[in-house]
Coordinates of all heavy atoms in Angstrom, one line a residue:
M1 N -8.0 -15.3 1.5 CA -7.1 -14.3 1.0 C -7.0 -14.3 -0.4 O -6.8 -15.3 -1.1 CB -5.6 -14.6 1.6 CG -5.3 -13.6 2.7 SD -3.5 -13.4 3.0 CE -3.2 -15.1 3.8
K2 N -7.3 -13.3 -1.0 CA -7.2 -13.2 -2.5 C -6.0 -12.4 -2.9 O -5.7 -11.3 -2.5 CB -8.5 -12.4 -2.9 CG -9.5 -13.3 -3.4 CD -10.6 -12.4 -4.3 CE -11.7 -13.4 -4.6 NZ -12.7 -12.6 -5.4
I3 N -5.3 -13.0 -3.7 CA -4.0 -12.3 -4.3 C -4.1 -12.0 -5.7 O -4.4 -12.8 -6.5 CB -2.8 -13.1 -4.1 CG1 -2.5 -13.4 -2.5 CG2 -1.5 -12.6 -4.7 CD1 -1.3 -14.3 -2.2
N4 N -4.0 -10.7 -6.0 CA -3.9 -10.3 -7.4 C -2.5 -10.3 -7.9 O -1.8 -9.3 -7.9 CB -4.5 -8.9 -7.4 CG -4.7 -8.4 -8.9 OD1 -4.2 -8.9 -9.8 ND2 -5.5 -7.4 -9.0
A5 N -2.0 -11.5 -8.3 CA -0.6 -11.7 -8.7 C -0.3 -10.8 -9.9 O 0.9 -10.3 -9.9 CB -0.4 -13.2 -9.0
E6 N -1.2 -10.5 -10.8 CA -0.9 -9.8 -11.9 C -0.6 -8.4 -11.4 O 0.5 -7.7 -11.9 CB -2.2 -9.8 -12.8 CG -1.8 -9.3 -14.2 CD -0.8 -10.3 -14.9 OE1 -0.8 -11.5 -14.6 OE2 0.0 -9.6 -15.7
W7 N -1.3 -7.8 -10.6 CA -1.1 -6.4 -10.0 C 0.3 -6.5 -9.3 O 1.1 -5.5 -9.5 CB -2.2 -6.1 -9.1 CG -2.1 -4.6 -8.7 CD1 -2.6 -3.6 -9.4 CD2 -1.3 -4.0 -7.6 NE1 -2.3 -2.4 -8.6 CE2 -1.4 -2.7 -7.5 CE3 -0.6 -4.7 -6.5 CZ2 -0.8 -1.9 -6.6 CZ3 0.0 -3.9 -5.5 CH2 -0.2 -2.6 -5.6
H8 N 0.6 -7.4 -8.6 CA 1.9 -7.4 -7.8 C 3.1 -7.5 -8.8 O 4.1 -7.0 -8.4 CB 1.9 -8.6 -6.8 CG 1.2 -8.3 -5.5 ND1 1.9 -7.8 -4.6 CD2 0.0 -8.6 -5.1 CE1 1.0 -7.6 -3.5 NE2 -0.1 -8.1 -3.8
K9 N 2.9 -8.2 -9.8 CA 4.0 -8.3 -10.8 C 4.3 -6.8 -11.4 O 5.4 -6.5 -11.6 CB 3.6 -9.2 -12.0 CG 4.2 -10.6 -11.9 CD 4.0 -11.3 -13.2 CE 3.2 -12.6 -12.9 NZ 2.8 -13.1 -14.2
K10 N 3.2 -6.1 -11.5 CA 3.4 -4.7 -12.1 C 3.7 -3.7 -11.2 O 4.2 -2.6 -11.5 CB 2.1 -4.4 -12.9 CG 1.8 -5.2 -14.1 CD 0.5 -4.8 -14.8 CE 0.2 -5.8 -15.9 NZ -1.3 -5.7 -16.3
N11 N 3.4 -4.0 -9.9 CA 3.6 -3.0 -8.9 C 4.4 -3.5 -7.7 O 3.9 -3.8 -6.7 CB 2.2 -2.6 -8.3 CG 1.4 -1.9 -9.5 OD1 1.4 -0.7 -9.7 ND2 0.6 -2.7 -10.1
K12 N 5.8 -3.4 -7.9 CA 6.6 -3.9 -6.8 C 6.8 -2.8 -5.8 O 7.1 -1.6 -6.2 CB 8.0 -4.4 -7.5 CG 7.7 -5.6 -8.3 CD 8.5 -6.8 -7.8 CE 8.1 -8.1 -8.4 NZ 8.7 -8.3 -9.6
M13 N 6.8 -3.2 -4.6 CA 7.2 -2.1 -3.6 C 8.7 -1.8 -3.7 O 9.5 -2.8 -3.8 CB 7.0 -2.8 -2.2 CG 7.4 -1.9 -1.0 SD 6.3 -0.6 -0.6 CE 5.3 -1.4 0.6
P14 N 9.1 -0.5 -3.7 CA 10.5 -0.2 -3.8 C 11.3 -0.7 -2.7 O 10.7 -1.1 -1.6 CB 10.4 1.4 -3.8 CG 9.0 1.7 -4.1 CD 8.1 0.6 -3.7
K15 N 12.5 -1.0 -2.9 CA 13.3 -1.6 -1.8 C 13.4 -0.8 -0.6 O 13.4 -1.3 0.5 CB 14.7 -2.0 -2.5 CG 14.7 -3.3 -3.0 CD 16.1 -3.9 -3.1 CE 16.1 -5.4 -3.5 NZ 17.3 -5.8 -4.3
N16 N 13.7 0.5 -0.7 CA 13.7 1.4 0.4 C 12.7 2.4 0.3 O 13.1 3.6 0.1 CB 15.2 1.9 0.7 CG 16.1 0.8 1.1 OD1 15.9 0.2 2.2 ND2 17.1 0.6 0.3
P17 N 11.4 2.1 0.4 CA 10.4 3.1 0.1 C 10.4 4.2 1.2 O 10.7 4.0 2.4 CB 9.1 2.3 0.2 CG 9.4 1.1 1.1 CD 10.9 0.8 1.0
T18 N 10.1 5.4 0.7 CA 9.8 6.6 1.5 C 8.5 6.4 2.1 O 7.7 5.5 1.6 CB 9.9 7.9 0.8 OG1 8.9 7.8 -0.2 CG2 11.3 8.1 0.1
E19 N 8.1 7.0 3.1 CA 6.8 7.0 3.7 C 5.7 7.2 2.5 O 4.7 6.6 2.5 CB 6.6 8.0 4.8 CG 5.2 7.8 5.5 CD 5.1 8.9 6.6 OE1 5.5 8.6 7.8 OE2 4.6 10.0 6.3
E20 N 6.1 8.3 1.8 CA 5.1 8.6 0.6 C 4.9 7.4 -0.3 O 3.8 7.1 -0.7 CB 5.7 9.9 0.0 CG 4.9 10.4 -1.1 CD 3.8 11.4 -0.5 OE1 4.0 11.8 0.6 OE2 2.8 11.6 -1.2
Q21 N 6.0 6.7 -0.6 CA 5.9 5.7 -1.5 C 5.1 4.5 -0.9 O 4.3 3.8 -1.7 CB 7.3 5.2 -2.0 CG 8.0 6.1 -3.0 CD 9.4 5.6 -3.1 OE1 10.2 5.3 -2.2 NE2 9.9 5.6 -4.5
R22 N 5.3 4.3 0.3 CA 4.6 3.1 1.0 C 3.0 3.6 1.1 O 2.3 2.7 0.8 CB 5.1 3.1 2.4 CG 6.4 2.4 2.6 CD 6.8 2.2 4.1 NE 5.9 1.2 4.8 CZ 5.6 1.3 6.0 NH1 6.1 2.1 6.8 NH2 4.9 0.3 6.6
I23 N 2.8 4.7 1.3 CA 1.4 5.2 1.4 C 0.8 5.0 0.0 O -0.3 4.3 -0.1 CB 1.2 6.6 1.9 CG1 1.6 6.6 3.4 CG2 -0.2 7.1 1.7 CD1 1.7 8.0 4.0
K24 N 1.4 5.5 -0.9 CA 0.8 5.4 -2.4 C 0.7 3.9 -2.8 O -0.3 3.5 -3.3 CB 1.7 6.1 -3.4 CG 1.5 7.6 -3.2 CD 2.2 8.3 -4.4 CE 1.8 9.8 -4.3 NZ 2.8 10.6 -5.0
W25 N 1.7 3.1 -2.4 CA 1.6 1.7 -2.8 C 0.5 1.0 -2.1 O -0.2 0.3 -2.7 CB 2.9 1.0 -2.4 CG 3.0 -0.4 -2.9 CD1 3.6 -0.8 -4.1 CD2 2.6 -1.7 -2.2 NE1 3.5 -2.2 -4.1 CE2 3.0 -2.7 -3.1 CE3 1.9 -1.8 -1.0 CZ2 2.6 -4.0 -2.6 CZ3 1.7 -3.2 -0.8 CH2 2.0 -4.2 -1.5
H26 N 0.3 1.3 -0.8 CA -0.8 0.6 0.0 C -2.1 1.0 -0.5 O -3.0 0.3 -0.5 CB -0.5 0.9 1.4 CG 0.3 -0.2 2.1 ND1 -0.2 -1.4 2.3 CD2 1.6 -0.1 2.5 CE1 0.8 -2.2 2.9 NE2 1.9 -1.4 3.0
I27 N -2.3 2.3 -0.9 CA -3.5 2.8 -1.3 C -3.9 2.0 -2.6 O -5.1 1.6 -2.8 CB -3.6 4.3 -1.4 CG1 -3.6 5.0 -0.1 CG2 -4.8 4.8 -2.3 CD1 -3.3 6.5 0.0
A28 N -3.0 2.0 -3.6 CA -3.2 1.4 -4.8 C -3.4 -0.2 -4.5 O -4.3 -0.7 -5.2 CB -2.0 1.6 -5.8
H29 N -2.6 -0.7 -3.6 CA -2.8 -2.1 -3.4 C -4.2 -2.4 -2.9 O -4.8 -3.4 -3.2 CB -1.7 -2.5 -2.4 CG -1.8 -4.0 -1.9 ND1 -2.2 -4.4 -0.8 CD2 -1.5 -5.1 -2.8 CE1 -2.1 -5.7 -0.8 NE2 -1.7 -6.2 -1.9
A30 N -4.6 -1.6 -1.8 CA -5.9 -1.9 -1.3 C -7.0 -2.0 -2.3 O -8.0 -2.6 -2.2 CB -6.2 -1.0 -0.1
K31 N -6.8 -1.1 -3.3 CA -7.9 -1.1 -4.4 C -7.9 -2.2 -5.3 O -8.8 -2.6 -5.9 CB -7.7 0.2 -5.2 CG -8.2 1.5 -4.5 CD -8.0 2.7 -5.4 CE -8.2 4.0 -4.7 NZ -7.6 5.2 -5.3
N32 N -6.7 -2.9 -5.4 CA -6.5 -3.9 -6.4 C -6.3 -5.3 -5.8 O -6.4 -6.3 -6.6 CB -5.3 -3.6 -7.3 CG -5.5 -2.3 -8.1 OD1 -6.2 -2.4 -9.1 ND2 -5.1 -1.2 -7.8
C33 N -6.0 -5.4 -4.6 CA -5.7 -6.7 -4.0 C -6.0 -6.7 -2.5 O -6.0 -5.7 -1.9 CB -4.2 -6.9 -4.3 SG -3.6 -8.5 -3.8
A34 N -6.2 -7.9 -2.1 CA -6.7 -8.0 -0.7 C -5.7 -8.9 0.2 O -6.2 -9.4 1.2 CB -8.1 -8.4 -0.5
C35 N -4.6 -9.2 -0.3 CA -3.7 -10.2 0.3 C -3.1 -9.7 1.5 O -2.7 -10.5 2.4 CB -2.6 -10.7 -0.7 SG -1.3 -9.5 -0.9
W36 N -3.0 -8.4 1.7 CA -2.3 -7.8 2.8 C -2.9 -6.5 3.3 O -2.9 -5.5 2.4 CB -0.8 -7.6 2.3 CG 0.1 -7.0 3.4 CD1 0.1 -7.1 4.7 CD2 1.4 -6.2 3.0 NE1 1.2 -6.5 5.2 CE2 2.0 -5.9 4.3 CE3 2.0 -5.9 1.8 CZ2 3.2 -5.3 4.3 CZ3 3.2 -5.2 1.9 CH2 3.8 -4.9 3.2
P37 N -3.6 -6.4 4.3 CA -4.2 -5.1 4.7 C -3.2 -4.0 5.1 O -2.1 -4.4 5.4 CB -5.1 -5.6 6.0 CG -4.5 -6.8 6.5 CD -3.9 -7.5 5.3
I38 N -3.7 -2.9 4.9 CA -2.9 -1.7 5.2 C -2.6 -1.8 6.7 O -3.4 -1.9 7.6 CB -3.5 -0.4 5.0 CG1 -3.8 -0.3 3.4 CG2 -2.8 0.9 5.5 CD1 -4.6 1.0 3.0
P39 N -1.3 -1.7 7.2 CA -0.9 -1.8 8.6 C -1.6 -0.6 9.3 O -1.7 0.4 8.8 CB 0.6 -1.6 8.6 CG 1.1 -2.0 7.2 CD -0.1 -1.7 6.3
K40 N -1.9 -1.0 10.5 CA -2.8 0.0 11.3 C -2.0 1.4 11.5 O -2.6 2.4 11.3 CB -3.0 -0.6 12.8 CG -4.3 0.0 13.3 CD -4.6 -0.5 14.8 CE -5.6 0.4 15.4 NZ -5.4 0.6 16.9
K41 N -0.7 1.3 11.7 CA 0.1 2.4 11.9 C 0.1 3.4 10.6 O 0.0 4.5 10.7 CB 1.6 2.0 12.3 CG 2.1 2.8 13.5 CD 3.5 2.4 13.7 CE 4.2 3.6 14.4 NZ 5.6 3.2 14.7
L42 N 0.2 2.6 9.4 CA 0.2 3.3 8.2 C -1.2 4.0 7.9 O -1.2 5.0 7.4 CB 0.6 2.4 7.2 CG 1.2 3.1 5.8 CD1 2.3 3.9 6.1 CD2 1.3 2.0 4.7
Q43 N -2.2 3.1 8.3 CA -3.6 3.7 8.1 C -3.8 5.0 8.9 O -4.5 5.9 8.3 CB -4.5 2.6 8.6 CG -6.1 3.0 8.3 CD -6.4 3.2 6.8 OE1 -6.3 2.3 6.1 NE2 -6.7 4.4 6.3
E44 N -3.3 5.0 10.0 CA -3.4 6.3 10.8 C -2.7 7.5 10.2 O -3.2 8.5 10.1 CB -2.8 6.1 12.3 CG -3.6 5.3 13.2 CD -2.9 4.8 14.4 OE1 -1.7 5.3 14.7 OE2 -3.5 3.9 15.1
I45 N -1.5 7.2 9.6 CA -0.8 8.3 8.9 C -1.6 8.7 7.6 O -1.8 9.9 7.4 CB 0.6 7.7 8.4 CG1 1.4 7.5 9.6 CG2 1.2 8.8 7.5 CD1 2.8 6.8 9.4
I46 N -2.2 7.7 6.9 CA -3.1 8.0 5.8 C -4.2 8.9 6.2 O -4.5 9.9 5.4 CB -3.5 6.7 5.1 CG1 -2.3 6.0 4.5 CG2 -4.6 7.0 4.0 CD1 -2.4 4.6 4.1
D47 N -4.9 8.5 7.3 CA -6.1 9.2 7.7 C -5.7 10.7 8.0 O -6.6 11.6 7.7 CB -6.7 8.6 8.9 CG -7.4 7.2 8.6 OD1 -7.6 7.0 7.5 OD2 -7.6 6.4 9.5
K48 N -4.6 10.9 8.6 CA -4.1 12.2 8.9 C -3.7 13.1 7.6 O -4.1 14.2 7.5 CB -2.9 12.2 9.8 CG -3.3 12.1 11.3 CD -2.1 12.3 12.2 CE -2.4 11.3 13.4 NZ -1.1 11.0 14.1
K49 N -3.0 12.4 6.7 CA -2.5 13.0 5.6 C -3.5 13.2 4.4 O -3.5 14.2 3.7 CB -1.3 12.2 5.0 CG -0.1 12.5 5.7 CD 1.2 12.2 4.8 CE 2.4 12.6 5.4 NZ 3.6 12.3 4.6
Y50 N -4.4 12.2 4.3 CA -5.3 12.3 3.3 C -6.8 12.0 3.8 O -7.3 11.0 3.6 CB -5.0 11.1 2.2 CG -3.7 11.1 1.7 CD1 -2.7 10.3 2.2 CD2 -3.4 12.0 0.6 CE1 -1.4 10.4 1.8 CE2 -2.0 12.0 0.1 CZ -1.1 11.1 0.7 OH 0.2 11.1 0.2
P51 N -7.2 13.0 4.5 CA -8.6 12.9 5.1 C -9.6 12.9 4.0 O -9.6 13.7 3.0 CB -8.8 14.1 5.9 CG -7.8 15.1 5.6 CD -6.7 14.4 4.8
S52 N -10.5 11.9 4.0 CA -11.5 11.7 2.9 C -12.8 12.4 3.2 O -13.2 12.5 4.3 CB -11.6 10.3 2.4 OG -11.9 9.6 3.6
Ligands
LIG1 ZN1 -1.6 -8.0 -2.6

């Protein structure tokens, strides 16, 4: 597991994130850090909302 501590310091997850905030956080997180994969359920939502 690789943790990008620097990124985490600068990008805290909001305390009560909306779905939108969670998605944005996870997308940014996945690009910068690998400590925590995107949860499957959230990935499904991302796939539907942001088809690439
Ligand atoms: Zn991380």
